[in-house]
């Protein structure tokens, strides 16, 4: 939706006799600006309220006497007899007051007969049943590229009047800067850009780093998502050829969304990676964001749950809203089955309610959020996740074969300053049959510890001794892995 779409929708709701409207947004100033456009279109005055001034008309100085208190401000709306739009921000907590609710209901009912209404802005507003039935909700989307472009133009013009400002960006770098602003409010974007320009009087490609760091702070402020630093690429992952090819075919859709749209293609939805623990599922999630040039957010579902009624559901909504603000983005959900295990009833149904909300969002979401979910235990995963439409594809990640084990040894030796050519990789790969990638990594790490303690260079014999004393999961969990392979054979696509 564009700002013009929001203005049109608000105008239509007011003219359709909706006396109470909730604009779901954190950007109060932006919402107020759009309401001014609505008021001009339907030719009614716009009033706004603050605890400092009270109720005042936006195009005139002065406030209405004795309207600073929320209840008195709402009583004024109920008593007024003119067509108008009344804007209230921060009124959500006061809806618990019975008298205030009565005034709000009376004022909204009166305005239904005129071209006007009461507009409450904010997020996580709980409307009691008597108000909820008469409330229309409009979600204000995050700013689009044109809004960021206009903001930057105005900012450069204003700053240039105070100091010399040099813009050293190519067309592609400017597009990248605007893309990275996605998800920030206009106020947040203005502060970040202003700081970057004032520091050295320049706007350059290096300033994109300031935007990325600011977005990281915005995400981590919520405490539900982690902005994950990414170093790995798909080249750091041995094998998984089918998964790599699948991701490669969709890379251009991410890099060239307009061209993809002309082909009738939409942003990919996501993948579910099932398989044996330690075989590269989580590593793949990290690598996708690097290859596609998108931020990576890790959704720690253990932080969702709160002992207070309704707080867990609110946490989920905040996490999803934060992810959509950062779009386009890769959202990594590790060990999905732990958050939404089948059969969990001890939490009074909270898990099932969050599961229902999560499934609905996965099915209907419009934002460019690519989900990479991993799971180890298919028996604990709700069957709803396996339905077509939730994910673009379900991949099974199996234990590595001989050639892949050889490559895993090479990768981990090279990453730790060892020369892979000085080791018998073939013998190591043969001896580590049934080992997962993480188990091979631990063999290399343990071997290095031993060699370092003895003050000598690491050898093939050292690694073979570590292989010999390691009991892999393929042995300790043989029956479970066999059952997982049997289940996946006809239900998933092999990632290897």
């Amino acid at each position: 939706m564009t700002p013009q779409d929001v203005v049109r929708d608000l105008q239509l709701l007011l003219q359709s006799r909706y006396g109470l409207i909730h604009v779901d947004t954190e950007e109060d100033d932006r919402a107020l600006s759009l309401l001014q456009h609505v008021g001009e279109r339907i030719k009614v005055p716009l009033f706004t309220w603050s605890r400092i001034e009270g109720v005042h008309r936006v195009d005139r100085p002065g406030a209405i006497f004795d309207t600073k208190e929320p209840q008195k401000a709402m009583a004024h709306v109920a008593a007024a007899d003119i067509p108008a739009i009344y804007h209230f921000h921060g009124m959500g907590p006061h809806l618990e007051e019975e008298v205030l609710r009565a005034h709000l209901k009376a004022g909204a009912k009166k305005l239904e007969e005129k071209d006007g209404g009461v507009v409450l802005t904010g997020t996580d507003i709980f409307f009691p049943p008597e108000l909820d039935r008469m409330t229309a909700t409009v979600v204000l989307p995050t700013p689009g590229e044109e809004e960021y472009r206009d903001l930057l133009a105005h900012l450069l013009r204003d700053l240039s009047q105070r100091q010399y400002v040099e813009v050293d960006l190519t067309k592609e770098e400017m597009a990248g800067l605007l893309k990275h602003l996605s998800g920030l409010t206009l106020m947040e974007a203005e502060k970040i850009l202003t700081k970057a320009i004032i520091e050295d009087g320049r706007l350059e490609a290096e300033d994109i780093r300031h935007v990325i760091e600011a977005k990281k702070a915005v995400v981590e402020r919520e405490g539900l998502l982690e902005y994950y630093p990414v170093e790995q690429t798909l080249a750091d992952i041995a094998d998984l050829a089918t998964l790599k090819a699948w991701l490669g075919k969709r890379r251009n859709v991410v890099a060239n969304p307009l061209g993809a749209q002309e082909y009738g293609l939409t942003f990919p939805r996501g993948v579910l990676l099932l398989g044996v623990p330690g075989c590269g599922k989580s590593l793949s999630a990290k690598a996708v964001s690097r290859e596609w040039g998108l931020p990576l957010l890790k959704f720690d579902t253990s932080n969702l749950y709160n002992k207070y009624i309704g707080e867990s559901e609110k946490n989920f909504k905040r996490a999803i809203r934060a992810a959509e603000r950062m779009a386009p983005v890769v959202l990594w959900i590790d060990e999905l089955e732990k958050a939404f295990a089948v059969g969990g009833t001890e939490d009074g149904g909270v898990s099932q309610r969050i599961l229902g909300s999560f499934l609905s969002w996965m099915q209907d979401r419009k934002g460019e959020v690519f989900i990479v979910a991993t799971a180890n235990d298919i028996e604990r995963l709700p069957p709803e996740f396996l339905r077509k439409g939730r994910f673009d594809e379900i991949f099974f990640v199996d234990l590595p074969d001989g050639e892949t084990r050889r490559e895993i040894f090479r990768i981990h030796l090279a990453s730790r300053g060892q020369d892979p050519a000085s080791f018998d990789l073939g013998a190591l790969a043969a001896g580590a049959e049934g080992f997962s990638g993480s188990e091979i990594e631990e063999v290399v790490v343990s071997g290095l510890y031993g060699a370092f303690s003895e003050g000598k260079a690491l050898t093939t014999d050292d690694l073979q001794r570590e292989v010999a004393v390691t009991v892999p999961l393929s042995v300790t969990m043989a029956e479970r892995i066999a059952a997982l392979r049997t289940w996946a054979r006809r239900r998933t696509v092999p990632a290897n």
Side-chain angles (χ1 to χ4, degrees), residues 178-428:
L178 296 173
K179 179 180 179 181
H180 280 290
L181 289 172
S182 174
L184 297 172
T185 67
L186 291 178
M187 183 175 293
E188 289 168 339
E190 181 179 2
K191 290 179 179 178
I192 295 164
L193 292 171
T194 301
K195 182 175 181 293
I197 295 169
I198 288 178
E199 277 184 345
D200 55 7
R202 291 167 56 86
L203 183 63
E204 54 189 345
E206 177 64 19
D207 290 323
I208 294 176
R209 178 178 56 84
H210 294 287
V211 177
I212 294 173
E213 288 299 316
K215 291 181 78 168
K216 177 181 178 181
V218 168
V219 169
E220 294 183 343
R221 189 167 60 214
E222 290 285 348
L224 296 168
L225 299 177
E226 182 179 358
Y227 197 106
Y228 222 80
V230 177
E231 300 297 335
Q232 294 88 355
T233 68
L234 289 175
D236 298 321
I237 306 174
D239 194 28
L240 301 187
T242 304
L243 174 61
K244 289 179 180 178
W246 189 93
L247 292 168
K249 290 178 181 178
R250 286 151 182 81
R251 182 177 181 178
N252 284 340
V253 174
V254 177
N256 184 14
L258 294 179
Q261 190 174 2
E262 292 176 0
Y263 266 73
L265 297 173
T266 58
F267 192 85
R269 306 179 69 80
V271 292
L272 174 60
L273 305 179
L274 301 174
V276 182
C279 287
K281 299 187 297 297
S282 297
L283 184 62
S284 298
K286 300 174 187 177
V288 170
S289 71
R290 177 69 177 268
E291 290 295 307
W292 283 4
L294 297 178
L296 175 67
L297 303 180
K298 184 179 180 182
F299 189 179
D300 188 351
T301 52
S302 65
N303 290 335
L304 281 179
Y305 296 98
N306 190 295
K307 63 181 179 180
Y308 297 108
I309 295 174
E311 287 301 313
S312 298
E313 292 88 335
K314 288 183 180 179
N315 285 342
F316 170 75
K317 291 179 180 179
R318 284 201 299 270
I320 293 304
R321 187 183 297 119
E324 289 183 329
R325 282 188 65 189
M326 296 298 109
V329 70
V330 175
L331 181 63
W332 170 29
I333 309 174
D334 201 21
E335 297 186 329
L336 189 65
E337 71 275 22
K338 289 186 177 180
F340 305 109
V342 171
T345 57
E346 65 278 359
D347 60 3
V350 173
S351 297
Q352 290 304 303
R353 290 197 296 274
I354 293 179
L355 172 61
S357 298
F358 189 38
L359 293 173
S360 297
W361 174 75
M362 290 176 66
Q363 187 74 29
D364 303 328
R365 70 184 185 276
K366 305 299 182 183
E368 295 181 341
V369 179
F370 182 81
I371 297 175
V372 180
T374 69
N376 297 323
D377 190 349
I378 190 61
E379 293 181 356
R380 296 182 62 200
L381 196 63
E384 293 93 335
F385 277 118
L386 307 178
R387 213 190 83 189
K388 285 294 183 183
R390 310 293 191 198
F391 296 97
D392 293 321
E393 195 58 85
I394 302 174
F395 289 95
F396 178 69
V397 183
D398 205 345
L399 291 166
D401 59 19
E403 186 57 38
T404 304
R405 293 194 299 274
R406 179 189 180 103
E407 178 64 11
I408 294 172
F409 270 110
R410 187 198 67 76
I411 289 173
H412 288 299
L413 286 168
S415 69
R416 289 166 175 80
Q418 303 295 310
D419 180 10
S422 63
F423 296 85
D424 188 345
L425 299 181
L428 290 171

Side-chain angles (χ1 to χ4, degrees), residues 88-102:
F88 290 88
H89 179 73
M91 191 60 72
H94 302 287
L95 295 182
E96 297 177 359
E97 302 171 16
E98 185 177 354
V99 175
L100 184 144
R101 291 201 307 269

Side-chain angles (χ1 to χ4, degrees), residues 157-176:
R157 184 189 62 209
D158 293 344
L159 290 175
S160 295
Q161 294 175 357
R162 292 154 39 191
Q163 68 177 81
Y164 175 75
V165 176
E166 180 182 353
V167 179
D168 186 17
L169 290 172
T170 65
K171 183 179 179 181
E172 291 74 19
E173 289 168 344
M174 177 63 78

Side-chain angles (χ1 to χ4, degrees), residues 62-195:
I64 296 171
F65 177 71
D66 199 22
T67 56
K68 293 180 182 179
E69 293 300 319
Q71 193 176 119
K72 291 181 178 180
M74 208 58 75
H76 167 78
V77 174
D81 196 28
I82 61 170
I85 300 173
Y86 293 92
H87 166 243
F88 290 88
H89 179 73
M91 191 60 72
H94 302 287
L95 295 182
E96 297 177 359
E97 302 171 16
E98 185 177 354
V99 175
L100 184 144
R101 291 201 307 269
H103 286 314
L104 173 56
K105 185 176 181 179
K109 282 286 186 183
K110 184 181 291 186
L111 288 165
E112 285 179 355
E113 305 303 320
K114 309 175 186 295
D115 282 341
V118 181
V119 179
L120 305 187
T121 60
T123 59
D124 297 328
I125 297 179
F126 174 75
F127 289 91
E130 69 269 25
L131 296 177
D132 190 52
R133 286 189 291 268
M134 59 188 297
T135 304
T137 299
V138 175
V139 178
L140 183 60
T142 55
E145 182 177 317
E146 284 305 311
E147 288 182 271
Y148 292 123
R149 192 182 297 276
D150 290 343
L151 170 67
L152 181 56
H154 284 101
L155 192 59
L156 289 171
R157 184 189 62 209
D158 293 344
L159 290 175
S160 295
Q161 294 175 357
R162 292 154 39 191
Q163 68 177 81
Y164 175 75
V165 176
E166 180 182 353
V167 179
D168 186 17
L169 290 172
T170 65
K171 183 179 179 181
E172 291 74 19
E173 289 168 344
M174 177 63 78
L177 174 65
L178 296 173
K179 179 180 179 181
H180 280 290
L181 289 172
S182 174
L184 297 172
T185 67
L186 291 178
M187 183 175 293
E188 289 168 339
E190 181 179 2
K191 290 179 179 178
I192 295 164
L193 292 171
T194 301
K195 182 175 181 293

